[in-house]
Structures are given as C-alpha cells and as structure tokens.
Amino acid sequence: MKEWPDYFDIHDQSDACMRIKSFIDTQMGELEAYNDVRNENTHGEHTYIFHEHAMRVAENVKRTCLHMELGPRVAENMYWAVLPHDIGKKLLPADIWDQEEKPTGAVKKYRRTHTILGGQIVEELLHDVDHPMKDLMVDIMRYHHEQMDGQGTLGVDGEDLSLPVRLVAIVEAYDGWRIWRPHYGERDISPPGVLKRMREEKGAEIFDMDLFESFAEMKMNDYKEGRILQDN
Ligand SMILES: [Fe+2]
Ligand SMILES: [Fe+2]
C-alpha cells in the first residue's frame, strides 16, 4: 500500500510540479464555470456546489494530516492532490445533479463515473508528465468513492486502497452530508450529528475507522472551539 506522500514537494520549481499546479488551477476554473450551467437549471437554488465542496474537502484533509502530525509537506501535497478529485463531474450532463428526490441506483451509478472520467482527463492532458504527484492525484480521483468492504463504486477491496484514498473517502462523505439537500428532510447535519451518523450507521464497513477517528477528533476540536466555518 502507498504511504503518505512525503517523498516530493508540490511547491518545488520543477517543470512537472508547475505543470500539475497549473492543470489543477485550470480544472478548478472549469469546475466553477460548470456551476453556471447548473445555475441555469436550478436558478441558483442548488446547495451542493462542486468547486466549493472540493476546497472544503482539501482544507479538511490538510488539517487532518497536520492533526495526525504527518508534517506540512504531506499536508500540502494532499491539499493539492484533493482539489481536483471531482473534475470528472463536469463531463456529465449538468441536469443529473439537481433532482429533488433521492437518486436511484442507476442515476447514482452514472454520477459515479466522474471518478474514472477525472482520471481520464489527467491521463489525456498530463500524458507526458511523469511525477508521483500525478499518480497521487489519479489514485484519489479514481478511488475516492470506494469502501473498506469492497462494495464501493468499482468494487476495489479495502486493503488495496491507499491511506490517502481512505482519508479522502471519509472527508468527502462528511462534506456531502453536511450540505442540506431536499431529500435530507429533518436530518441532523451539524458536525457532531454527521460524525455520529458516519460512525454508527456506516462505520467500519465503509471507512477506515482509525483515520475516521483522527478526522473526527480534529473536527470536534474545531467545533468546540467555535472554529467551524459556515458549511464546513
Ligand atoms: Fe466524487
Ligand atoms: Fe467530492
């Protein structure tokens, strides 16, 4: 299994890192532009805005890495690698994301192809770049909706998922459940409410629980100290 990415620095001045960072900036701009297309369908009423979600997830992953004392280099590499994890979404028709009702299995499956599509965007636009940051980015893109019990989108076994992927899967799910959507009804979406739901209803079948508890501890420290930003 791949360990935490402490073996390179995304901020070094190499051509590869500069290309990758500029790729990420461009892709995030395109994801933001995709939101305007969704706005046309929803009149701006959708609450789950992808580029904002990506920035919150990246920030929470970075903060969890620092909380686990993995060091600033790992935290920063992870931050940048997480930002583009959902860019594949913008290749799908915008109206599939904004339905009032809970998505059916088929719709969910179609939406989840964004993981593979994201990996394809990287392979296409950075085909001539050979750098571990690219591999980390693609690893996270492809597998962030996998589960420890092997019942995720692609059916990959939990033991084959890297630690970075496992952490992103947790933080990503947390963020999704923190954003109220019509089919949530009266559900408690406060930070403690979501953490409880993740621990009790989903738990070890889906998540790496050691990593989950590190994330939950970081999040609850923030919450108790009033450091939870809006929707974060
Ligand atoms: Fe995703
Ligand atoms: Fe996501």
Side-chain angles (χ1 to χ4, degrees):
M1 177 188 306
K2 287 176 202 157
E3 294 303 326
W4 298 106
D6 59 357
Y7 42 87
F8 65 89
D9 177 359
I10 181 61
H11 295 307
D12 76 28
Q13 298 298 306
S14 65
D15 277 358
C17 284
M18 311 267 256
R19 283 268 313 273
I20 292 170
K21 278 204 286 190
S22 132
F23 166 84
I24 295 170
D25 281 340
T26 306
Q27 289 294 320
M28 293 308 287
E30 287 181 12
L31 196 57
E32 191 168 346
Y34 184 71
N35 196 53
D36 296 338
V37 184
R38 287 175 74 200
N39 277 334
E40 284 166 22
N41 297 328
T42 68
H43 309 290
E45 282 176 5
H46 59 284
T47 47
Y48 191 17
I49 298 168
F50 300 145
H51 62 285
E52 293 178 359
H53 154 82
M55 287 188 281
R56 284 191 304 268
V57 175
E59 182 67 24
N60 275 325
V61 164
K62 175 177 167 176
R63 291 175 57 71
T64 310
C65 290
L66 293 172
H67 181 69
M68 291 194 293
E69 299 184 343
L70 296 171
R73 174 184 286 215
V74 168
E76 200 61 21
N77 289 342
M78 286 295 294
Y79 177 85
W80 279 82
V82 172
L83 274 180
H85 74 277
D86 278 334
I87 57 170
K89 286 182 172 176
K90 61 187 168 59
L91 296 186
L92 293 168
D95 58 4
I96 65 166
W97 306 106
D98 303 305
Q99 305 167 342
E100 284 277 309
E101 61 285 359
K102 193 178 161 84
T104 62
V107 171
K108 209 170 162 183
K109 209 168 165 187
Y110 185 44
R111 289 179 176 185
R112 287 281 166 92
T113 59
H114 73 268
T115 57
I116 296 304
L117 292 170
Q120 285 170 0
I121 296 173
V122 179
E123 298 300 351
E124 190 185 323
L125 298 179
L126 296 176
H127 62 90
D128 54 338
V129 174
D130 182 18
H131 192 279
M133 177 66 181
K134 178 175 129 180
D135 303 336
L136 176 66
M137 223 162 51
V138 172
D139 191 34
I140 291 171
M141 267 181 209
R142 284 200 180 127
Y143 303 122
H144 68 270
H145 290 298
E146 297 308 302
Q147 302 183 178
M148 292 309 287
D149 63 2
Q151 299 299 305
T153 308
L154 301 171
V156 178
D157 251 16
E159 60 185 38
D160 293 329
L161 300 174
S162 67
L163 292 173
V165 162
R166 293 179 189 196
L167 178 59
V168 178
I170 292 162
V171 179
E172 141 84 31
Y174 172 86
D175 193 78
W177 292 343
R178 282 276 292 130
I179 313 263
W180 187 85
R181 278 167 275 181
H183 66 266
Y184 281 12
E186 299 286 297
R187 189 195 286 189
D188 176 5
I189 58 165
S190 69
V194 172
L195 291 171
K196 183 169 185 280
R197 187 180 180 86
M198 289 175 81
R199 189 182 284 115
E200 292 175 4
E201 289 181 32
K202 308 287 180 175
E205 285 165 28
I206 298 191
F207 305 120
D208 177 320
M209 293 313 279
D210 290 339
L211 287 177
F212 174 80
E213 292 306 337
S214 296
F215 167 68
E217 192 176 79
M218 182 282 288
K219 213 30 52 196
M220 285 311 292
N221 287 348
D222 275 5
Y223 183 68
K224 284 179 202 149
E225 289 164 22
R227 266 193 278 123
I228 297 285
L229 304 169
Q230 195 184 9
D231 293 338
N232 201 348

CSV table of all heavy atoms in Angstrom, one decimal, residues 48 53 85-87 89 97 111-112 114-115 140-141 144-145 172, ligand 1:
chain,number,residue,atom,x,y,z
A,48,TYR,N,-25.3,22.1,-3.3
A,48,TYR,CA,-24.0,21.3,-3.3
A,48,TYR,C,-23.2,21.8,-4.5
A,48,TYR,O,-23.4,21.4,-5.6
A,48,TYR,CB,-24.4,19.9,-3.4
A,48,TYR,CG,-23.2,18.9,-3.2
A,48,TYR,CD1,-22.0,19.3,-2.6
A,48,TYR,CD2,-23.3,17.6,-3.7
A,48,TYR,CE1,-21.0,18.4,-2.4
A,48,TYR,CE2,-22.3,16.7,-3.5
A,48,TYR,CZ,-21.1,17.1,-2.8
A,48,TYR,OH,-20.1,16.2,-2.7
A,53,HIS,N,-17.2,22.6,-2.5
A,53,HIS,CA,-17.0,21.3,-1.9
A,53,HIS,C,-15.5,20.8,-1.9
A,53,HIS,O,-14.9,20.5,-0.9
A,53,HIS,CB,-17.9,20.3,-2.5
A,53,HIS,CG,-17.5,18.8,-2.4
A,53,HIS,ND1,-17.7,18.1,-1.2
A,53,HIS,CD2,-16.9,18.0,-3.3
A,53,HIS,CE1,-17.3,16.9,-1.5
A,53,HIS,NE2,-16.7,16.8,-2.7
A,85,HIS,N,-10.4,16.3,-7.2
A,85,HIS,CA,-10.9,15.0,-7.2
A,85,HIS,C,-12.2,14.8,-8.0
A,85,HIS,O,-12.5,13.7,-8.4
A,85,HIS,CB,-11.0,14.4,-5.7
A,85,HIS,CG,-12.1,15.0,-5.0
A,85,HIS,ND1,-12.1,16.2,-4.3
A,85,HIS,CD2,-13.4,14.5,-4.7
A,85,HIS,CE1,-13.2,16.5,-3.7
A,85,HIS,NE2,-14.0,15.4,-3.9
A,86,ASP,N,-13.0,15.8,-8.1
A,86,ASP,CA,-14.3,15.7,-8.7
A,86,ASP,C,-14.4,16.3,-10.1
A,86,ASP,O,-15.5,16.5,-10.6
A,86,ASP,CB,-15.4,16.3,-7.9
A,86,ASP,CG,-15.9,15.3,-6.7
A,86,ASP,OD1,-15.7,14.1,-6.9
A,86,ASP,OD2,-16.3,15.8,-5.7
A,87,ILE,N,-13.3,16.6,-10.8
A,87,ILE,CA,-13.3,17.3,-12.0
A,87,ILE,C,-14.1,16.5,-13.1
A,87,ILE,O,-14.6,17.1,-14.1
A,87,ILE,CB,-11.9,17.8,-12.6
A,87,ILE,CG1,-11.0,16.5,-12.7
A,87,ILE,CG2,-11.3,18.8,-11.7
A,87,ILE,CD1,-9.7,16.9,-13.5
A,89,LYS,N,-16.9,15.4,-13.0
A,89,LYS,CA,-18.3,15.7,-13.0
A,89,LYS,C,-18.7,16.6,-14.1
A,89,LYS,O,-19.8,16.6,-14.6
A,89,LYS,CB,-18.7,16.4,-11.6
A,89,LYS,CG,-18.7,15.4,-10.5
A,89,LYS,CD,-19.1,16.0,-9.2
A,89,LYS,CE,-19.3,15.0,-8.1
A,89,LYS,NZ,-19.6,15.5,-6.8
A,97,TRP,N,-27.5,16.3,-11.6
A,97,TRP,CA,-27.1,16.5,-10.2
A,97,TRP,C,-28.2,17.1,-9.4
A,97,TRP,O,-28.1,17.1,-8.2
A,97,TRP,CB,-25.9,17.5,-10.2
A,97,TRP,CG,-24.7,17.0,-11.0
A,97,TRP,CD1,-24.3,17.5,-12.2
A,97,TRP,CD2,-23.9,15.9,-10.7
A,97,TRP,NE1,-23.3,16.8,-12.7
A,97,TRP,CE2,-23.0,15.8,-11.8
A,97,TRP,CE3,-23.8,15.0,-9.7
A,97,TRP,CZ2,-22.0,14.8,-11.9
A,97,TRP,CZ3,-22.8,14.0,-9.7
A,97,TRP,CH2,-21.9,13.9,-10.8
A,111,ARG,N,-23.6,9.0,-12.1
A,111,ARG,CA,-22.9,10.1,-11.5
A,111,ARG,C,-21.5,9.7,-11.0
A,111,ARG,O,-20.5,10.4,-11.2
A,111,ARG,CB,-23.6,10.6,-10.2
A,111,ARG,CG,-24.9,11.3,-10.5
A,111,ARG,CD,-25.6,11.7,-9.2
A,111,ARG,NE,-26.8,12.5,-9.3
A,111,ARG,CZ,-27.4,13.0,-8.3
A,111,ARG,NH1,-27.0,12.8,-7.1
A,111,ARG,NH2,-28.5,13.7,-8.5
A,112,ARG,N,-21.4,8.5,-10.5
A,112,ARG,CA,-20.1,8.0,-10.0
A,112,ARG,C,-19.1,7.7,-11.1
A,112,ARG,O,-17.9,7.6,-10.8
A,112,ARG,CB,-20.4,6.7,-9.2
A,112,ARG,CG,-21.1,7.0,-7.8
A,112,ARG,CD,-20.1,7.5,-6.8
A,112,ARG,NE,-20.7,8.1,-5.6
A,112,ARG,CZ,-21.0,7.4,-4.5
A,112,ARG,NH1,-20.7,6.1,-4.4
A,112,ARG,NH2,-21.5,8.1,-3.5
A,114,HIS,N,-17.9,9.8,-12.6
A,114,HIS,CA,-17.0,11.0,-12.6
A,114,HIS,C,-15.6,10.6,-12.1
A,114,HIS,O,-14.6,11.3,-12.4
A,114,HIS,CB,-17.5,12.2,-11.8
A,114,HIS,CG,-17.5,11.9,-10.3
A,114,HIS,ND1,-18.6,11.4,-9.6
A,114,HIS,CD2,-16.6,12.2,-9.3
A,114,HIS,CE1,-18.3,11.3,-8.3
A,114,HIS,NE2,-17.1,11.8,-8.1
A,115,THR,N,-15.5,9.5,-11.3
A,115,THR,CA,-14.2,9.1,-10.8
A,115,THR,C,-13.2,8.7,-12.0
A,115,THR,O,-12.1,9.1,-12.0
A,115,THR,CB,-14.3,7.9,-9.8
A,115,THR,OG1,-15.0,6.9,-10.5
A,115,THR,CG2,-15.1,8.4,-8.6
A,140,ILE,N,-6.5,9.3,-6.0
A,140,ILE,CA,-7.6,9.9,-5.3
A,140,ILE,C,-8.8,10.0,-6.2
A,140,ILE,O,-9.9,9.7,-5.8
A,140,ILE,CB,-7.1,11.2,-4.7
A,140,ILE,CG1,-6.1,10.9,-3.5
A,140,ILE,CG2,-8.3,12.0,-4.2
A,140,ILE,CD1,-5.4,12.2,-3.0
A,141,MET,N,-8.6,10.5,-7.4
A,141,MET,CA,-9.7,10.7,-8.3
A,141,MET,C,-10.5,9.4,-8.5
A,141,MET,O,-11.7,9.3,-8.5
A,141,MET,CB,-9.2,11.2,-9.7
A,141,MET,CG,-9.3,12.6,-9.8
A,141,MET,SD,-8.7,13.1,-11.4
A,141,MET,CE,-8.0,14.6,-11.0
A,144,HIS,N,-11.9,7.5,-4.7
A,144,HIS,CA,-12.5,8.2,-3.5
A,144,HIS,C,-13.9,7.8,-3.2
A,144,HIS,O,-14.4,8.2,-2.1
A,144,HIS,CB,-12.3,9.7,-3.6
A,144,HIS,CG,-13.2,10.4,-4.6
A,144,HIS,ND1,-12.7,10.6,-5.9
A,144,HIS,CD2,-14.4,10.9,-4.6
A,144,HIS,CE1,-13.7,11.2,-6.6
A,144,HIS,NE2,-14.7,11.4,-5.8
A,145,HIS,N,-14.6,7.0,-4.0
A,145,HIS,CA,-15.9,6.5,-3.7
A,145,HIS,C,-15.9,5.0,-3.4
A,145,HIS,O,-16.9,4.3,-3.5
A,145,HIS,CB,-16.9,6.9,-4.7
A,145,HIS,CG,-17.3,8.3,-4.8
A,145,HIS,ND1,-17.8,9.0,-3.7
A,145,HIS,CD2,-17.1,9.3,-5.7
A,145,HIS,CE1,-18.0,10.3,-4.0
A,145,HIS,NE2,-17.5,10.5,-5.2
A,172,GLU,N,-14.6,13.4,2.3
A,172,GLU,CA,-15.5,13.7,1.2
A,172,GLU,C,-17.0,13.3,1.6
A,172,GLU,O,-17.9,14.1,1.3
A,172,GLU,CB,-15.0,12.8,0.0
A,172,GLU,CG,-16.0,12.1,-0.8
A,172,GLU,CD,-16.5,13.0,-1.9
A,172,GLU,OE1,-15.7,13.8,-2.4
A,172,GLU,OE2,-17.7,12.8,-2.3
B,1,FE,FE,-16.6,12.3,-6.0
